Amino acid sequence: MSSVSLKTREAGTRYSIQLLNPTIGAEVSGVDLAQPLSAEERAELKALLLQYKVLFFRDQAITRDQQVAFALNFGELYAHPTGGVDTHRVVQPIAAENFKKYAVSESHWHTDTSWRIDPSFGAVLRAVHIPEVGGDTIWADGGAIYRGLPEDLKRRIDDLYVVHDYQDALTRSGVRYPLVSHPIVRTHPETGEDIFWVNFSLKPRIVDLDRAESDALLARLYAEVKRPEYHARFRWRPNSVAFWDNRAGLHYAVRDYGDFPRVMERVLIASDDIPHRVRA
Ligand code: SIN
């Protein structure tokens, strides 16, 4: 794991944090996810989440029930239509057999449930089995990506919408849901930050552009998403947990672990926000 600062006590919180990048990714110590949070602890973690977009916790030997209880501090849970583990409908297994089942052939930079009108607020991901090598996850700061674009490119995408097409997987799961598009740049409902927010795993297509123009523009934007300067890359260890704000950027699970098993369990936190762009 790369880190850019020494462990520091974050002003205004009881927690110590270690940054992975100045704007995204903070490893938080001083919290026991197995215990209920007080209102103050919840508020401090929420503030850290809004500031750093993804929080990491080490050495948290928590059960599924405790993972669910932690996620419930931040909102109602969302049960993904592709199903949950046998004991908990809201705990979604993430492992190689599920990629095959849902015909997910490769990793892409993506956001969670962006095919919904109201995509999830965030997620809590727990390492269940870590491969012997590889298997990191990378988060990209959607605000930094947008701010870093040349002005003419910002103006070009400012009023464009992109389609998030999950129809094949939904049909396989017996779910009917309308095809949804969202603004390419969404205003974060709590921080007010403009966020570049495209899901490159859901056949993105820009509304009102012809296919060639859309593909060319998305390829140009994808090059920005891949810039390491915008990333926080997390090296998983047993009992690691990540908690991210799905509205603040994109993430990518690195498939560099060959046949070594990698098993994660994810809980999605629902959102009531209809994403939009706020223009001054
Ligand atoms: C996800 O894409 O939500 C899970 C990321 C991972 O498996 O590391």
Side-chain angles (χ1 to χ4, degrees), residues 53 140-149 151 154-155 157-159 183-198 247-250 275-280:
K53 299 171 175 156
D141 182 339
I145 293 169
Y146 180 69
R147 283 192 300 279
L149 295 177
E151 287 305 317
K154 279 186 190 158
R155 279 197 301 278
I157 63 172
D158 267 345
D159 293 315
I184 291 181
V185 184
R186 307 193 321 165
T187 302
H188 191 289
E190 293 188 86
T191 65
E193 188 177 15
D194 287 331
I195 304 286
F196 175 83
W197 208 80
V198 172
R247 307 161 301 176
L250 298 79
H276 59 290
R277 179 78 193 277
V278 178
R279 303 291 294 281

Side-chain angles (χ1 to χ4, degrees), residues 4 41 45 52 54 65 93 102 107 122 125 153 157 185 193 195 239 259 270-271:
V4 297
E41 288 168 327
L45 287 174
Y52 295 114
V54 51
D65 280 336
Y102 295 105
S107 215
L125 185 67
L153 189 50
I157 63 172
V185 184
E193 188 177 15
I195 304 286
N239 299 325
D259 292 328
S271 172

Side-chain angles (χ1 to χ4, degrees), residues 163-257:
V163 172
H164 296 247
D165 183 352
Y166 195 49
Q167 295 291 310
D168 291 346
L170 289 172
T171 303
R172 273 196 297 279
S173 302
V175 175
R176 292 193 64 193
Y177 197 87
L179 186 59
V180 163
S181 65
H182 295 297
I184 291 181
V185 184
R186 307 193 321 165
T187 302
H188 191 289
E190 293 188 86
T191 65
E193 188 177 15
D194 287 331
I195 304 286
F196 175 83
W197 208 80
V198 172
N199 187 334
F200 288 93
S201 71
L202 298 189
K203 303 181 198 163
R205 183 169 44 78
I206 299 174
V207 178
D208 293 336
L209 297 192
D210 68 35
R211 170 61 78 178
E213 208 182 344
S214 168
D215 286 351
L217 183 50
L218 288 168
R220 168 74 185 87
L221 294 165
Y222 200 55
E224 297 295 322
V225 172
K226 289 194 287 186
R227 287 176 57 173
E229 288 78 3
Y230 300 136
H231 297 171
R233 179 170 181 145
F234 187 61
R235 168 71 42 87
W236 293 93
R237 295 201 302 251
N239 299 325
S240 297
V241 172
F243 172 32
W244 67 90
D245 182 344
N246 188 49
R247 307 161 301 176
L250 298 79
H251 54 281
Y252 182 97
V254 184
R255 301 250 188 103
D256 60 349
Y257 44 91

